[in-house]
Amino acid sequence: MGNRGMAWALKVEDFSYSYPGNGEAILRSLSFTVNRGECVCITGSSGAGKSTLLLAIQGLLKGGHCNGRITIDANGWKKPVGLLFQNVDSQILCSTVEEEAAFGPDAIGFTGEETAAQAHHALQSVGLAGFEKRNVDRLSAGEKQRVALAAVLSSRPAVVLLDEPTSQLDEQGKADLVQIIHELKRQGHALLIADHEPGVFHGVVDRLFQLEKGCLRERSFGFFHGSGSYAPGPGGADSSKPASSAEPALEMDGIVWTEPNGKVVLDCLSLRIGRGEFVYLYGENGAGKSSLLRLMVGLESPQAGSIRTAGITAPKPEQLVGNVGLLFQNPQKQLFEDSVFSEAAFTLRMLKYGEREVMPRVNGALALCEVERFAERSPFTLSYGEQHRVALASVIAANPEVLLLDEPFAGLDFPQRRRMLTILSRLQRNGTTIILASHGPLPAGEWVNRHIILKNGKISEG
Ligand SMILES: Nc1ncnc2c1ncn2[C@@H]1O[C@H](COP(=O)(O)OP(=O)(O)OP(=O)(O)O)[C@@H](O)[C@H]1O
Ligand SMILES: [Mg+2]
């Protein structure tokens, strides 16, 4: 679809931006428009500036240096622009799902009836009918991303900005999102999406751009064809994987775990993982993957059943420090130090390693995760994907015997996902047991030596 003859909703003119204290421009003289009823997608590697651009349009960049103009024509809609944040936790305000969906329209002056109808419609379209009374804090990340999307849509913004909207969604969630975008286009909304996986939107996106070195280039979907392959590159997966030994790294027997609201999440689940295995744990949004990992490290206790992790029965988190590492689904929950270096050194220092040993181990982990150039930066000034790699470095710096990763691909672009699998393969070769939980299908290639599926509270072999 071309631009001519259509009314624009968003116009970006010669826009440049640099962050405070960081001389180099992240965005350089960008110019583009998005018309009513049109959907534009921006892709680009982690740290390219995609979120920065969306934050600029939403008017949320503080300080720094900017030039040029961003204009929005709301064309009679009550709300000019709404943004789905990359880290949805930072936008959720209310305690229940229905309050969250109703908050926006209520705040901008829709009547009670309109608010209720719009919130209801938004929740239905994201597949959350029946979730209205649920506590948002207790939802899975994929469910939370759906709530946050419903909360943006219920206000009916003229311009809808979506930052990595598929990062936590399973296949059904992605298909639902594409349907929603078709509907929004029909209604005359303008959409701008930033996503590492533009292929998901093929067929609904009108124009695709790549953001690179601060500049936008229009691309065809074909341009990215083949770049999304998981096939191991040089130094990638190794067919000489250590056979898993008989001695288990993890044993769970008859585990029952119920949500505070009574929902049974894990239903008499048993699982045994041998030392040195690399296990891919697949489950749809809300299947209970994160709960299972949290039980393994003692962050939750089961109502019934037994757990033994790295030789410790019914472990408490403090008994596993350094020996069992858990990479959280949301990296921001893991980052709290002033600098990237101290972040990665935290566990080692807690275990009273001398600074002489801390230094090479931390540098090694930072280099492995390709974040050594950020060593002196505050983790909070990094892009989401960069934060994810720092969180991974801080988990692997202590060289844990068992490594648990909860949706580690979220926020990583494709080459980084492949590199992460390469890193994990290398760790496995050195004897680490790895459990990787994901809502995405198993990447092609010989990356793992076991594939298990969590469904209806039970594990089956894939
Ligand atoms: N508050 C900040 N201060 C200084 N630099 C920042 C700040 N926030 C982001 N940056 C830097 O700006 C660059 C662009 O960040 P941005 O979050 O826009 O990237 P992105 O393309 O959205 O990446 P990702 O795919 O990882 O989400 C990154 O190199 C990041 O380190
Ligand atoms: Mg981003």
Side-chain angles (χ1 to χ4, degrees):
M1 199 185 297
N3 273 345
R4 267 165 298 150
M6 292 177 78
W8 60 268
L10 167 68
K11 190 183 269 187
V12 175
E13 293 168 281
D14 215 10
F15 185 78
S16 302
Y17 180 75
S18 47
Y19 278 104
N22 189 346
E24 214 182 315
I26 298 289
L27 306 174
R28 298 163 190 255
S29 294
L30 302 187
S31 294
F32 65 96
T33 55
V34 186
N35 295 321
R36 292 178 204 147
E38 196 183 29
C39 177
V40 170
C41 180
I42 294 182
T43 192
S45 53
S46 174
K50 304 178 296 298
S51 299
T52 304
L53 175 60
L54 298 193
L55 290 169
I57 297 168
Q58 182 72 23
L60 287 177
L61 284 181
K62 293 188 188 73
H65 189 73
C66 78
N67 254 319
R69 254 187 356 156
I70 296 179
T71 327
I72 287 162
D73 180 359
N75 186 36
W77 300 90
K78 270 201 171 83
K79 191 172 166 72
V81 56
L83 166 64
L84 174 71
F85 285 66
Q86 183 162 14
N87 176 11
V88 294
D89 281 314
S90 58
Q91 88 183 88
I92 284 173
L93 302 165
C94 304
S95 42
T96 69
V97 168
E98 70 183 355
E99 286 165 1
E100 188 65 35
F103 182 87
D106 185 48
I108 57 174
F110 282 102
T111 66
E113 242 171 53
E114 288 166 336
T115 296
Q118 288 170 210
H120 176 74
H121 177 72
L123 287 174
Q124 274 209 319
S125 59
V126 299
L128 286 184
F131 279 67
E132 291 79 359
K133 306 285 177 210
R134 294 276 296 274
N135 184 331
V136 185
D137 278 339
R138 303 285 322 178
L139 296 179
S140 81
E143 290 162 350
K144 263 191 205 168
Q145 196 164 30
R146 287 171 170 82
V147 175
L149 177 61
V152 170
L153 299 182
S154 61
S155 300
R156 304 201 166 155
V159 176
V160 180
L161 308 172
L162 306 175
D163 197 353
E164 302 289 341
T166 63
S167 61
Q168 307 292 351
L169 298 183
D170 58 20
E171 299 306 301
Q172 182 62 50
K174 289 176 187 169
D176 290 347
L177 178 61
V178 170
Q179 283 318 307
I180 291 171
I181 295 171
H182 277 299
E183 187 189 327
L184 292 171
K185 284 174 66 175
R186 270 196 302 274
Q187 293 169 354
H189 295 268
L191 291 109
L192 183 62
I193 304 174
D195 210 295
H196 286 301
E197 279 189 78
V200 172
F201 304 106
H202 197 168
V204 71
V205 157
D206 300 288
R207 279 178 296 141
L208 173 63
F209 290 98
Q210 183 178 25
L211 183 57
E212 208 180 17
K213 299 196 177 87
C215 301
L216 282 177
R217 274 185 199 85
E218 189 157 358
R219 299 285 190 205
S220 69
F221 279 91
F223 180 82
F224 298 101
H225 187 72
S227 61
S229 154
Y230 275 114
D238 184 351
S239 51
S240 65
K241 286 189 179 309
S244 66
S245 70
E247 189 192 353
L250 179 110
E251 270 180 299
M252 294 179 117
D253 212 10
I255 296 294
V256 175
W257 192 72
T258 312
E259 276 275 359
N261 68 5
K263 182 181 168 232
V264 179
V265 178
L266 305 177
D267 185 11
C268 203
L269 174 150
S270 296
L271 176 63
R272 191 171 191 276
I273 290 173
R275 280 182 202 270
E277 276 194 304
F278 185 167
V279 178
Y280 195 84
L281 166 65
Y282 169 78
E284 291 173 358
N285 286 146
K289 303 179 292 297
S290 301
S291 311
L292 186 60
L293 297 184
R294 291 167 63 80
L295 282 158
M296 289 175 184
V297 298
L299 286 168
E300 306 275 358
S301 307
Q303 277 88 16
S306 64
I307 301 177
R308 192 171 159 84
T309 306
I312 298 176
T313 304
K316 299 205 166 41
E318 57 275 17
Q319 294 174 292
L320 302 178
V321 172
N323 210 16
V324 178
L326 169 60
L327 179 69
F328 284 59
Q329 186 155 11
N330 178 353
Q332 288 180 347
K333 296 220 162 121
Q334 207 143 4
L335 302 173
F336 42 85
E337 291 285 301
D338 291 339
S339 76
V340 165
F341 187 93
S342 337
E343 196 64 64
F346 183 80
T347 304
L348 293 170
R349 285 176 177 160
M350 198 159 95
L351 293 170
K352 305 268 182 274
Y353 278 82
E355 285 303 304
R356 270 201 187 169
E357 202 166 343
V358 169
M359 188 74 104
R361 280 195 184 219
V362 167
N363 286 335
L366 294 179
L368 206 55
C369 300
E370 297 174 30
V371 285
E372 67 271 46
R373 69 181 185 283
F374 301 130
E376 301 309 320
R377 285 262 293 271
S378 155
F380 299 100
T381 68
L382 298 178
S383 84
Y384 194 82
E386 290 161 354
Q387 287 179 339
H388 217 120
R389 276 140 61 209
V390 170
L392 176 65
S394 63
V395 172
I396 63 177
N399 197 15
E401 186 186 327
V402 180
L403 180 56
L404 311 175
L405 305 119
D406 195 356
E407 213 61 69
F409 299 137
L412 300 193
D413 57 41
F414 230 92
Q416 281 172 1
R417 291 180 192 191
R418 213 171 25 218
R419 262 177 257 142
M420 164 155 329
L421 285 166
T422 310
I423 294 169
L424 297 177
S425 286
R426 225 178 282 160
L427 293 174
Q428 188 205 7
R429 247 173 279 152
N430 293 334
T432 310
T433 308
I434 301 170
I435 305 172
L436 188 161
S438 176
H439 56 245
L442 179 70
E446 298 286 304
W447 293 107
V448 305
N449 44 21
R450 194 167 154 206
H451 180 210
I452 59 177
I453 298 165
L454 176 58
K455 195 169 180 182
N456 299 329
K458 290 202 164 52
I459 291 283
S460 57
E461 296 290 324

